[in-house]
Structures are given as structure tokens and as C-alpha cells.
Amino acid sequence: MAANADISSVLQEKVLDAIAQHIPMRIVGRNTKAFYGRADVSEPLSVAGHCGVISYEPTELVITARAGSSLAEIEALLATQGQMLPFEPPYFGAQAEDTLGGTIACGFSGPRRPYAGSVRDVVLGVKVLTGKGEILKFGGQVMKNVAGFDVSRLMVGALGTLGVLLEISLKVLPKAESEKTQVFSCDVQEAIRRMNAWAGQSLPLSAAMFADGQLYIRLSGSHAGLSEACRNLGGESLAESDALWSSVRDHAHVFFQGDSSLWRISVPPATPLIDISGSWLIEWGGAQRWLKTSMASEAVRERVAAAKGHATLFRGSGLQGPQGQIFHPLSPALMALHQRLKAEFDPHGILNRGRMYADW
Amino acid sequence: MLSFDKQTLLAALHRILPADAVLCETEDLRPYECDGLSAYRELPMIVCLPHTIEQVQAILRVCYKMQVPVVARGAGTGLSGGALPLKNGVLLSLAKFMCILEIDTANRIARVQPGVRNLAISQAAAPYGLYYAPDPSSQIACTIGGNVAENSGGVHCLKYGLTVHNVLGLKVLAMDGELLEIGGATLDSPGYDLLALMTGSEGLLGVIVEVTVKLLPKPERAQVVLAAFDDVVKAGAAVGDIISAGIIPGGLEMMDNPAIRAAEAFVHAGYPVDAAAILLCELDGTNEEVSEQILRVRELLQVAGATQVRTARDDAERLKFWAGRKAAFPAVGRLSPDYYCMDGTIPRKRLPEVLKRIAELSAEYQLPVANVFHAGDGNLHPLILYDANKPGELERTEEFGGKILELCIAVGGTITGEHGVGVEKIGQMCVQFAPQELAQFHAVKHAFDPQGLLNPGKAVPTLHRCAEFGAMHVHKGALPFPGLERF
């Protein structure tokens, strides 16, 4: 039986206390994503106890759950109805103890993202505890809703700097009847070219990546549809491919082992390989690329920016890590706007201060 | 009292714009007095028709300095009065921004100016086998800038999403003229998701001057099944059955009998006019996938009690089936001097009770209703038939419409699925959101536009206004004039 508890009033009290006493807090679920973002050593505000699925309507394709809910339990529940979270969330916890709230706050999506949409795309509504200590609801539990500004999606990837997520409503989708992975040996430039050429055709793609000289293409759909698509694509069929995709998704793949800094590079998908020495793993049909390099941060960011992309220091250490600049620098105008938005949601600067960018 | 002098403003605008880009004569202003919600009209003080980003920037700087409110406008097809001008404000038309700047086939994106028509993007992408997915029924006329401002939908939202799911980047001018580049050609961008915040912000946060959209490959095949039912409840249940079977149709539309009859009389789509409801279910994807799903859906519809199930034999028949649905609004418009289109979204399973209640209200207000329903995503468009020339009928219609919106909220839905709040549903915003939530919306606006000069009075009601709305609600029916005037 999954845990189920509403501690929103307790959390609200804690935030009100923090406001009164000017004590900054860091929002913590199961602490599986503490590596992500800038370091924060302030008082923890634990939301792990705020958990449980509030409603799940398979025919409405909507689930609503509290932020501290176990992501794995949610996915297991959806699977009983042949459904899934379309964005294929990664699990970074050692025992897959990741929470829904942390995944939303970090804005993490997995291999299916370019073809089925991101975590932000499926967020329909949130209940959030702001830095003013107010519990507010935005969006809702229906697919189409344009009443009011889209504060729900604003929360995705905001790293808890705008509020404490309490409840999230998500659009879910049916699982495909079948999935197949085809493998091709080719060089990286050819892989990028092919991934993008195929993405421009009517094919049931659900993942595409390049690692170790191999291009992997996953297709999802009906048995008959996949057989035909695989025939058209060619390549070798890969058995037991689920393990491969989840290992890349969760960074358990051998590429992600070791201590060197790991960069997440987001570029227009057809961008040729960027001239940065290091090792690359290319995902999302070319749109998300993982880079291990010893090159200085500034140089990495400069070359990625020249390719119209942005670079995130996903995992690092020391100054080139949680103490330094993790996310791509914003233009002065955008930075000022971010600070004004932060101030409108968290005027006392008590929530996850400095987690995204220094000083706020 | 204006805080600025019109002649000084005109002189300042003439210094930065060509003479023909500044309109201030009544006959020139007339075409701008309303958008697609023509029940609300107001002449703007001045209309500006810039054609470069620098000109827009200069206009905004002048208005910012002089504290002049600005309403941006695309094609003016909006259905919630979002582009309704202000009599003491500048109406900023982006109609001259009509260039498709780039079709990047390798990255499958299009970079366009805001005044480019929705359909023109798909037409420009068609030679490469690509298209832009959101297709509001006004797509031949509506512009992409307006689509972003309203987060427009269409008939393919369940599978392909709304505008917010199909836009990658924006260039936006803040009220002070500052250029903000939000997103770009990548799937995500650093910092807050300002792209989501801008999309559907109804012109309150910034002026969109460039849009980068995602292009999708055209499905290899699309086929549509038409099913007739003798009962709307059965039709509603069939929708749930299709989705429970793990099928996400490209389009899934329902029409009730008055809408069927109106559409059939107008475009002769071959609809069964005696049916209580029809479903149009479009399946798209690869050839094999569509073949399988067509069989499956036909079977599901028959089991659900359809009195008739027809698969379009060819693309011509498919387009004919759709023609009826796409022309439903004007078709209903032929039945009556005026019609008023509502736009609530409800959880799909509540459809039977919502339709029943709408029918009761229809009898109570003595105003006929035709229902068109984006059944896949729960977005309901009741069309109320009325005659604006009959004294009091528009007022009754608006009150009836307000009741429908509040019904949508009561069953767990929302007052607007894709048309926006604008001026039209601003009262119902007070019902859907708590005062603190509305205050937070104002706070967001404040972060972008601290002076409150961009499209003021739309989308988010003031708390004062809600207090009045609440008071009026208690004394329903006793109001002499509905709409903006009463505030």
C-alpha cells in the first residue's frame, strides 16, 4: 500500500516560520537530485511526507499526486492500466526512490522526450506553497485550459525557487503495444544526420541516441506497424533493449561512470558535432548531448552558444561544480526578469536560494 | 482624465513611423474596433502599423514614457475580446509582420514573424513533408502571434498539443522596449520556463515580434471514421472506450443534433441528420498502424451502440467529413442572426450531466444551443443562438453563457480551453480562482510590466472587480447592462 499523507498545513507553518525568522530553506524530497544545481546548505524543508495519489482517471488520461509521492509507485500504478508518463522520467536515486515533486522541479525528461513531449508538456496543474506562505492552485486537471497565466508550467524546472510543489496533475498516455530497437554502426556525424532525417518522416520513433559508434533507434507502436517500420529503417534488431534505454536515462550506463565533470548540452538537433574535446553521448535525436571534458567552463559555454545551444554543468565538483555557475548565463535583461519573478513568488528569498543562479 | 496629451503622442509617433503607419481618423480606426467577439466594440485612440522590430520598440518606448496603454493585435480573429482596443490607448497592429524568415528542414523548425497566418506556415513547410500541428478553425486567417498570445488549440490537441507544445522560441518586446529572447531552436532553455508563461498570456506580458515553431512530419496516412448515435451519452461513453483501448486519435470530435443539422444544411458533408450525436474519429500515423486502428475503432464504436459507422473511403471524403465540423460555427450562424460561442473544458466523463444542464438552461433562457465538442480533450463549444436586435437578448445570452462557464468549473473543468479570457470571461475568473491566486497573476504581470500598460483590464480581473462581480451574482438578473460597461 502506497503511503498517503497530506502535510500541506505543516509545510505552510514551516514556511511562515521561516518568513518570520528570515531563515532560508532548501526543499528536499528523497534527496536523489541534490547533485543538481548550485549547492545549498540551508535548513531542509522535507516534503517527502507529503505523498500519495489523489486521483487517477485512466479514461481521462490524468493523474494527480502529491509531490512527495514515489515516482516508481506512480509509474507502477499507471502500468496496471496500460498507461505511462510520456516523458519517461529518469531515476537518479540508488533505489529509484525519486519523488514526483523533485522530477517536476528539476524538469527532467528521458529518452522519449523529443517524440512524446517533455515533463513540462504534460503538467496540467499544480498546487504550490509560495514563498509568501500561500497555498495556491493553478491550471487544473483537464487537457486544455488557458485561464490565467501558465504558472503550473513555470514551476517545472524552477528548482523550487518559486514555491514548494504540493500537488501536480499530469497528462498520461497509453503505453504502446510494442517497442523495438534497431542498431546501426556509423560515425557520429552520420548518426546525427540519420536521426534527424528520420525524425522528419512519418515513423513511430520513440528514442534515438548515439554511443560508442552505434546509433540506436527505438520505435513504439503496434506489432504490425513496427515490423513495417523496422523493415524500412534497416539495421540490426537489438534484443532486451529496455535495459539499454533505462541505463542511459538513469545515468547508469558506463558512459556516465567516473568522476569527470558531466555537461548536458542542449542544441538544435541537427547541429554537427561541436568541436570540444572529450567524450560524447548523443541523445534525443541530437537535441540533448552529454559531454565529459576537462575543457574550462567558459570555453565549453562559448562553443555551445556559438552552436545556438546552452550548456548545463550537470555533475561537477569544486568551483567547476556546485559552488560555481551550473546553468548557462542569462542575458542581463532575462536575468533581471528572473529576479523580479522570483521576488513576486518568494519576496523574502527563503526558498532554494541560490540553487539556480547565485544570489537569488 | 488622461495623463498624456493625444496631440503630443501623435507627434511623437509621427517622428518614428511613416505617415501611413499611424491612424487616428474615425473611419480608419473603425476596422479595429473589435476582434472576433464583435459584441464588444471600442474605437482605439490611435492605431499603429509598424513593420520593423525597431519601430515596435520605438512605439513602446514612446508609450512607456507617456504612460499610454497598448493593445497588440494580429488578425483580430480572437473570440474573447483579447484585442478589444482601449479608447485612450494605442492599438498596435502586427499585421505587417508577414515574413516567414526561415524554414529549417534539418531541425524541423520555422522561424516566422508574428503576423504570419497559421495555415501559411504549414503551406510553406508542405514541400518538405512537414507541417505545423495546432490548427484552430480560424487557421486560414489567424496569425501565429495571436496563436501564441492565446495558446490556441484546434482539433488535434489531444495527440499533438496546443500552441504551448509546439513553440520553441520567441522574441518579445517588453513594455519598455527591451528585447527578450526566450527559448530558441533548442528543446529547452536555461532558467525559468518563460516560454510557457508567455504562451497564452493574452498580450499582458510582452509584444511578440518573432516566433520559432516546431514542424512535424506529415503522417503517412490519415483516415476518419464517422459514427452516429441515438443518444449523446452513448457517444460520450464511446470516446472513453477508444481511449481506454490505448488509442489516441489525431482528432476526436463530437457534434450534437442541432450542430449536425446546421452543418449538413451548410456544407452537405453527408452527416446523418437524424442522429442525436456524431463522432468524428481521425486516426493518423503509419499505414499499418492506421489500418489496425481503424478496424479496432470501428469495432469499439459498434459495441458502444453506434447506429451507423462509416469510414471515409478516400481523402476527398475525409475532407468532406471534416468540412462539416470545421464549418460548424458559421453553419450554426446561418440559423440565427447571432450566435455566441462558449469555450469551457470539462472532464470528459461529466459530459452527459453538463449537456443535460445546458439543455435545461437553454429552456430556461429560451435560447437554443448547438454543441460542438473536442471530445478527445474535453473542450466544449456550446453555441448559443440569439438575436442582438431583440432588446435584452444579448444580455440574456451572456448570462446564460456565464452559467455554462460556472457549470464547467463546478464539474472540475475550466472556463476557457482555447479561446482565452479576454474581456469576455473576466468575471468568471473570479469564480475559478481564489483572490490570492488572482493576486499572484497580477504579481507575475507586475514582474513583466510594472506600470500595467500592456493590454490592461483583460485576462485577469482586479479583486475590486471580483467583489462587484460577486455582489452582482447574488442579484442575478437584476442588472441593467452586462459586459464591460457595468464595471
Side-chain angles (χ1 to χ4, degrees):
Chain A
M1 185 67 197
N4 198 320
D6 181 349
I7 60 161
S8 50
S9 53
V10 177
L11 294 171
Q12 188 176 28
E13 279 306 310
K14 287 187 178 170
V15 167
L16 290 171
D17 280 354
I19 295 169
Q21 298 175 47
H22 309 286
I23 301 170
M25 300 179 104
R26 66 188 159 97
I27 308 161
V28 180
R30 295 284 175 193
N31 215 32
T32 60
K33 298 168 186 61
F35 66 88
Y36 188 65
R38 302 183 71 259
D40 185 351
V41 293
S42 60
E43 286 295 304
L45 176 67
S46 175
V47 296
H50 186 65
C51 58
V53 172
I54 294 168
S55 66
Y56 172 38
E57 297 272 357
T59 59
E60 302 285 328
L61 301 174
V62 177
I63 190 165
T64 300
R66 296 194 183 94
S69 305
S70 151
L71 194 59
E73 282 175 16
I74 288 174
E75 289 211 287
L77 173 65
L78 296 176
T80 63
Q81 302 295 321
Q83 296 185 340
M84 63 174 184
L85 296 174
F87 60 96
E88 205 175 358
Y91 289 81
F92 291 123
Q95 271 84 45
E97 63 269 49
D98 305 58
T99 63
L100 174 64
T103 303
I104 304 292
C106 291
F108 287 153
S109 303
R112 207 180 303 273
R113 188 265 173 264
Y115 315 99
S118 68
V119 52
R120 160 278 209 186
D121 287 339
V122 300
V123 168
L124 302 176
V126 297
K127 188 191 265 189
V128 65
L129 169 58
T130 67
K132 300 174 190 170
E134 296 173 344
I135 293 180
L136 309 179
K137 279 171 89 166
F138 298 102
Q141 294 174 283
V142 289
M143 302 291 155
K144 273 166 112 177
N145 184 358
V146 295
F149 300 131
D150 198 344
V151 175
S152 313
R153 292 195 174 94
L154 179 66
M155 293 295 151
V156 184
L159 289 171
T161 58
L162 298 175
V164 184
L165 286 166
L166 294 176
E167 287 171 21
I168 304 109
S169 295
L170 300 169
K171 176 184 175 182
V172 301
L173 282 181
K175 278 192 173 181
E177 186 180 292
S178 169
E179 297 202 319
K180 279 181 193 291
T181 298
Q182 299 294 107
V183 196
F184 307 80
S185 293
C186 61
D187 70 23
V188 60
Q189 306 289 25
E190 175 64 11
I192 294 170
R193 200 193 59 73
R194 283 195 204 175
M195 289 192 270
N196 282 284
W198 285 330
Q201 296 170 19
S202 177
L203 286 166
L205 297 182
S206 67
M209 72 153 181
F210 177 82
D212 296 328
Q214 305 283 326
L215 168 62
Y216 300 88
I217 301 285
R218 187 176 67 187
L219 302 150
S220 304
S222 69
H223 294 298
L226 290 194
S227 302
E228 174 70 13
C230 289
R231 266 199 302 281
N232 291 341
L233 282 185
E236 303 266 313
S237 137
L238 179 74
E240 307 293 320
S241 59
D242 286 1
L244 170 75
W245 294 108
S246 62
S247 75
V248 172
R249 182 194 69 194
D250 301 345
H251 290 189
H253 187 273
V254 63
F255 174 88
F256 296 96
Q257 282 159 22
D259 292 330
S260 60
S261 290
L262 177 68
W263 288 87
R264 176 182 182 272
I265 311 293
S266 177
V267 282
T271 306
L273 191 70
I274 301 168
D275 179 24
I276 300 175
S277 61
S279 46
W280 292 85
L281 186 146
I282 297 184
E283 257 203 292
W284 291 9
Q288 170 173 273
R289 303 177 184 189
W290 301 99
L291 167 67
K292 293 195 293 189
T293 182
S294 51
M295 189 182 265
S297 296
E298 292 70 24
V300 171
R301 294 193 195 281
E302 204 174 289
R303 288 184 196 191
V304 172
K308 296 183 183 167
H310 65 94
T312 305
L313 185 58
F314 203 79
R315 290 181 199 258
S317 57
L319 268 185
Q320 215 192 39
Q323 316 304 324
Q325 173 102 295
I326 298 292
F327 299 98
H328 213 76
L330 299 172
S331 68
L334 278 181
M335 181 58 95
L337 179 58
H338 275 66
Q339 286 179 268
R340 291 198 300 273
L341 269 173
K342 164 78 173 171
E344 299 289 0
F345 282 88
D346 180 19
H348 314 283
I350 56 160
L351 296 175
N352 283 9
R353 198 183 166 89
R355 182 82 186 252
M356 188 182 268
Y357 289 97
D359 305 327
W360 54 274
Chain B
M1 262 304 276
L2 298 183
S3 59
F4 54 89
D5 170 60
K6 181 176 170 184
Q7 292 314 315
T8 317
L9 175 61
L10 269 176
L13 291 171
H14 277 299
R15 274 195 295 275
I16 55 176
L17 293 169
D20 61 355
V22 183
L23 311 178
C24 64
E25 299 300 329
T26 304
E27 63 268 31
D28 297 330
L29 300 177
R30 192 64 72 192
Y32 299 92
E33 69 178 350
C34 68
D35 60 12
L37 183 68
S38 54
Y40 295 83
R41 290 169 196 269
E42 183 80 78
L43 278 184
M45 181 173 63
I46 296 168
V47 171
C48 291
L49 296 151
H51 71 271
T52 67
I53 292 180
E54 292 71 27
Q55 287 175 349
V56 180
Q57 230 164 356
I59 294 165
L60 289 172
R61 284 187 184 127
V62 164
C63 292
Y64 181 72
K65 206 169 136 199
M66 296 181 66
Q67 301 282 292
V68 182
V70 174
V71 177
R73 174 187 167 110
T77 58
L79 293 173
S80 57
L84 182 73
L86 293 165
K87 67 167 180 275
N88 63 342
V90 165
L91 192 282
L92 179 62
S93 167
L94 293 147
K96 287 187 179 171
F97 285 79
M98 290 174 62
C99 286
I100 294 178
L101 301 168
E102 184 186 10
I103 302 271
D104 177 347
T105 55
N107 288 300
R108 301 169 307 283
I109 54 175
R111 203 160 54 83
V112 302
Q113 291 189 322
V116 170
R117 291 174 306 112
N118 173 296
L119 188 60
I121 302 176
S122 288
Q123 285 167 341
Y128 311 102
L130 302 170
Y131 76 112
Y132 174 64
D135 60 341
S137 41
S138 57
Q139 71 179 141
I140 54 166
C142 63
T143 62
I144 190 68
N147 288 178
V148 174
E150 300 292 332
N151 192 10
S152 305
V155 298
H156 294 97
C157 292
L158 180 66
K159 188 164 180 182
Y160 297 106
L162 291 96
T163 303
V164 70
H165 302 104
N166 290 279
V167 169
L168 291 175
L170 295 175
K171 281 187 187 165
V172 173
L173 290 175
M175 186 61 214
D176 61 5
E178 178 97 52
L179 180 70
L180 303 172
E181 296 204 30
I182 296 172
T186 48
L187 289 184
D188 43 50
S189 43
Y192 294 145
D193 199 331
L194 301 180
L195 206 51
L197 198 55
M198 283 303 307
T199 308
S201 62
E202 303 197 19
L204 269 73
L205 303 183
V207 177
I208 296 158
V209 291
E210 193 183 298
V211 185
T212 300
V213 300
K214 202 157 82 173
L215 301 174
L216 297 181
K218 270 212 183 110
E220 186 181 10
R221 181 174 159 205
Q223 194 145 23
V224 67
V225 179
L226 184 156
F229 291 85
D230 56 11
D231 181 353
V232 287
V233 176
K234 285 186 199 164
V239 171
D241 295 343
I242 292 170
I243 287 165
S244 294
I247 295 167
I248 300 294
L252 187 53
E253 296 289 309
M254 189 195 289
M255 293 162 77
D256 72 357
N257 181 268
I260 296 167
R261 277 186 287 126
E264 184 57 25
F266 188 32
V267 298
H268 312 293
Y271 292 168
V273 291
D274 53 346
I278 59 166
L279 279 183
L280 286 174
C281 178
E282 179 162 291
L283 300 155
D284 63 3
T286 59
N287 197 19
E288 288 71 21
E289 196 106 35
V290 172
S291 298
E292 275 182 33
Q293 290 187 343
I294 287 281
L295 289 177
R296 188 91 181 85
V297 164
R298 284 186 64 100
E299 191 183 296
L300 286 163
L301 289 166
Q302 261 143 7
V303 172
T307 52
Q308 193 189 114
V309 179
R310 282 155 54 192
T311 307
R313 282 160 304 194
D314 49 28
D315 225 40
E317 193 173 37
R318 181 178 76 89
L319 294 174
K320 211 169 109 183
F321 283 176
W322 275 119
R325 165 61 189 89
K326 292 211 169 188
F329 291 9
V332 168
R334 291 167 76 235
L335 303 181
S336 160
D338 299 283
Y339 72 93
Y340 192 51
C341 173
M342 310 307 297
D343 173 45
T345 305
I346 55 170
R348 225 182 306 100
K349 63 177 176 184
R350 309 295 292 267
L351 183 67
E353 66 190 284
V354 169
L355 289 181
K356 184 165 166 276
R357 183 69 192 130
I358 290 175
E360 287 165 8
L361 287 166
S362 169
E364 196 178 307
Y365 283 91
Q366 296 179 322
L367 294 165
V369 178
N371 286 293
V372 178
F373 188 43
H374 299 302
D377 48 46
N379 188 196
L380 185 64
H381 293 310
L383 305 166
I384 306 173
L385 310 186
Y386 73 101
D387 182 351
N389 288 325
K390 288 191 188 155
E393 198 151 304
L394 172 62
E395 290 74 9
R396 263 197 1 263
T397 301
E398 288 189 310
E399 195 182 300
F400 178 10
K403 287 278 173 61
I404 294 176
L405 297 183
E406 285 156 38
L407 175 62
C408 292
I409 300 171
V411 299
T414 176
I415 57 173
T416 174
E418 56 183 359
H419 295 170
V421 173
V423 291
E424 182 200 22
K425 306 171 197 85
I426 198 149
Q428 280 74 28
M429 283 291 282
C430 310
V431 184
Q432 184 160 340
F433 292 98
Q436 288 179 327
E437 290 155 358
L438 294 173
Q440 193 60 55
F441 288 144
H442 285 294
V444 168
K445 164 123 175 111
H446 188 258
F448 282 80
D449 173 25
Q451 322 267 6
L453 294 173
L454 281 172
N455 217 7
K458 314 275 178 67
V460 186
T462 60
L463 297 182
H464 175 68
R465 190 168 176 152
C466 285
E468 287 187 35
F469 182 79
M472 286 193 310
H473 241 48
V474 179
H475 310 291
K476 56 185 176 179
L479 288 163
F481 302 105
L484 273 185
E485 289 75 17
R486 68 196 173 191
F487 295 104

